[in-house]
Structures are given as structure tokens and as C-alpha cells.
Amino acid sequence: MKKILIPVLVSFTTLGLATACNSSTNNAVENSKNTDITAELNIESKKVIEEYNSLILEFQNSDDEKKTTQKLKSLIPRLEQINSDKERNRILINTYLRIGEIDRAYEFIEEILSKDKRPNLKNFQCMLMESLNKSPSLIQDCYLEAASLYKNKLDKLDPSEAMYTKILWGYNVNMLHAGNREYINQLKKIVNDQKSEQDKMMYESLFELETNIEQRQQLLTTIASSI
């Protein structure tokens, strides 16, 4: 399971999460491909991100995970100084998860959500709550809140827009995990409505991940064990 890494888990979208977990080589090194973010970074931030990327590669290939984990821990104070909020948040969450500090990742996500209510990040926080064995009622409330955030975005989109189906999927998934089993039919409908074979296969894989108890438990266990 070591190579099914969480950089993707923290791509902050339900689709990104599931697609990542189905690819053992996806995003092995978390280089930013966003030119706007790259332009925003100062020299020191770029330098520490390069060190971070090197450590992630080492984390993938090293037989001494304890040593690599310690290196990542020691890098955190410098990672906290990255001058791009988006890049700093992404890297810090991934780092906390890699070194097994799930509680710290959860608390950090809570800080981010207090300023920016992103539905996909809220969804991931709910998954962390499951991994941390929070009470079922708190977990369901979390998923309901995530579903509400998705619904807010959905109401602002035209059904013809490219993101509409992805947001609709996120809404239905979170309603399902909030305890509303009838939403499984809405997920099936999205799968069946796909016109392209590639999209249909992707949503079929997502459907299995979200509805197959064994697959979902494996994902939650993977998060809990920090990969």
C-alpha cells in the first residue's frame, strides 16, 4: 500500500481522491504544475518545496521509512513558511498524513475550513473522521455539511457545464455517507448516463469505491495507517 500515496487524497476532490487511489504510480512526486502558484512562490519557498519533493521520492523508494519520516518532520517548520496558501496547505496536509499525524492533519483542515468552506476538503475531513473513529453521529453530520456545500455549488452551475456532473457526484456521495442509502440510486444514474466509455469506466470505479464496503474500508485503513 505504500505507493498508493495521499498526495492525491489531498487533491481535494472526490474524483481526484478515487482516481488516485486506483493508480499506484500517480503523482509520485508532488511538483506543482500550476504556473500561477509557481510564479507566486518566493525563492525560499521554491527551495523548500524542492527538498520536500526529494524527500517524497525518497519516501517512496527508501527501505528505512523511520529515517525518512523523521526528515519530513524536521522539514515542517520550513514548510509552514511557504508563501502560497494553496501550496502550503496542500503540502502540510500531505506531510502530516505521511508521518502518521492524522489528528494534526484533521485539525489543520479544520483551520482551513474556518476560512474557506471548500466542499471537497470538507469531504476529505469527514473521511479522516472515519479513520479516527469519531462518533457515527458526528461523521454523519460532517457528511451532511459537505453535501450542503456541494449543493451550494451545484445550484450555481448549469447542467451543461463540465463540472456539473462531478459536483453532482460529490453531493450524492456525501448524502449517501450521511446515512441516506437511497442516494445510491442517484449514483447509479450518473454512471448509466455517461456517454463516453472512458467516463463510464471512471464512474463505475468510483461507484465501487464509494459503495463496496471492503474497498471503502481498505481506503479508510490506508489513510489511518498513513500509507
Side-chain angles (χ1 to χ4, degrees), residues 128-139:
L128 289 185
M129 290 180 74
E130 288 194 73
S131 296
L132 290 166
N133 294 316
K134 301 285 186 180
S135 75
S137 62
L138 287 177
I139 292 170

Side-chain angles (χ1 to χ4, degrees), residues 2-3 56-64:
K2 182 179 177 182
K3 291 188 179 180
I56 295 308
L57 190 58
E58 181 180 326
F59 196 96
Q60 294 259 67
N61 300 321
S62 175
D63 292 327
D64 189 351

Side-chain angles (χ1 to χ4, degrees), residues 39-50:
E40 179 185 345
L41 295 169
N42 60 29
I43 294 174
E44 183 56 34
S45 294
K46 289 178 181 178
K47 183 177 178 181
V48 71
I49 289 172
E50 286 179 4

